Amino acid sequence: VTTFQNIEGMMEKVHLVTEGMLIYLRETSEVFIRVRNGWRKLQLSELIPIPDESLPPPAVSSYLHLVALNSPFSGDMRADFHCFQQAQQAGLMTTYRAFLSSHLQDLVTVVRKTDRYNLPIVNLKGETLFNNWESIFNGNGGEFNIHVPIYSFDGRNVMTDPIWPQKIIWHGSTTNGIRLVSNYCEAWHTADLAAMGQASPLKMGKLLDQKAYSCNNQFIVLCIENSFVSDPQGK
């Protein structure tokens, strides 16, 4: 099961929703099931209300998580799909997108505009990596405190765990988060030795350091929680 704000959000993320998945729309409280050629709306029975006094106060998570995929990837990847899928498997019910510029979108615009300035960017354990999304793209290469770990969805520290022998992240972007068409592994569709992708060695303490590598390398891929919603479970 996954949730979207409205039917427009559901339509935008059609490529991330697999057949058989249930979808709940927060605006209308409607439920759909993804079928082979689209969606079918489920008919719900009458509402059984919960008495107000039994409802705990909602826990609001006023931050966005930056989390790594559970294994390294070459330049040929379905990064948005893997971010979405692994977040769901980890019990994180908000939407995650790849920390990459693509042929459709610059990295700087992956987080919606209303959430770019006032929400800290934190790791999986809630430790602050950046004051807000915009601070990553101020031209200093996304500088962060390397003593604050970046964790994968299954809880491993990418900076120390041997599953990532090369401590380098793909991003395909300028320091300002704009796509580098010549250096993003053909929109992340090739692992060809001759193709190049822009990436950043984490030892530099930056997410957007400007280094070009062959797309056949297996590097870290990050995912960003791309919109803030209050989470009643506090996850």
Side-chain angles (χ1 to χ4, degrees), residues 101-168:
S101 282
S102 70
H103 68 294
L104 295 175
Q105 190 169 33
D106 295 317
L107 173 57
V108 68
T109 64
V110 167
V111 168
R112 66 182 184 182
K113 189 174 294 185
T114 53
D115 292 335
R116 294 177 195 167
Y117 302 94
N118 59 335
L119 299 178
I121 308 301
V122 302
N123 65 16
L124 194 63
K125 296 186 177 180
E127 300 168 307
T128 300
L129 291 161
F130 299 95
N131 290 332
N132 55 42
W133 180 249
E134 281 293 315
S135 68
I136 302 174
F137 308 102
N138 61 11
N140 72 356
E143 192 171 358
F144 71 103
N145 182 354
I146 60 173
H147 300 296
V148 179
I150 296 174
Y151 296 103
S152 59
F153 284 108
D154 57 7
R156 288 173 294 172
N157 182 349
V158 301
M159 299 174 184
T160 59
D161 196 287
I163 197 171
W164 297 274
Q166 300 184 85
K167 309 304 182 183
I168 301 170

Side-chain angles (χ1 to χ4, degrees), residues 65-69 77 79-80 83 96-102 105-108 110-111 121 130 133 136-137 141-142 144 150 169-175 177 188 198-200 202 206-209 220-226:
H65 292 93
L66 186 68
V67 188
L69 292 178
M77 59 178 108
D80 275 339
C83 287
Y96 282 74
R97 293 279 309 283
F99 187 86
L100 299 168
S101 282
S102 70
Q105 190 169 33
D106 295 317
L107 173 57
V108 68
V110 167
V111 168
I121 308 301
F130 299 95
W133 180 249
I136 302 174
F137 308 102
F144 71 103
I150 296 174
I169 69 161
W170 292 119
H171 58 74
S173 313
T174 68
T175 56
W188 310 111
Q198 205 78 344
S200 181
L202 288 180
K206 296 179 178 181
L207 293 190
L208 295 175
D209 199 45
I220 299 162
V221 177
L222 300 180
C223 306
I224 182 68
E225 189 175 15
N226 79 321

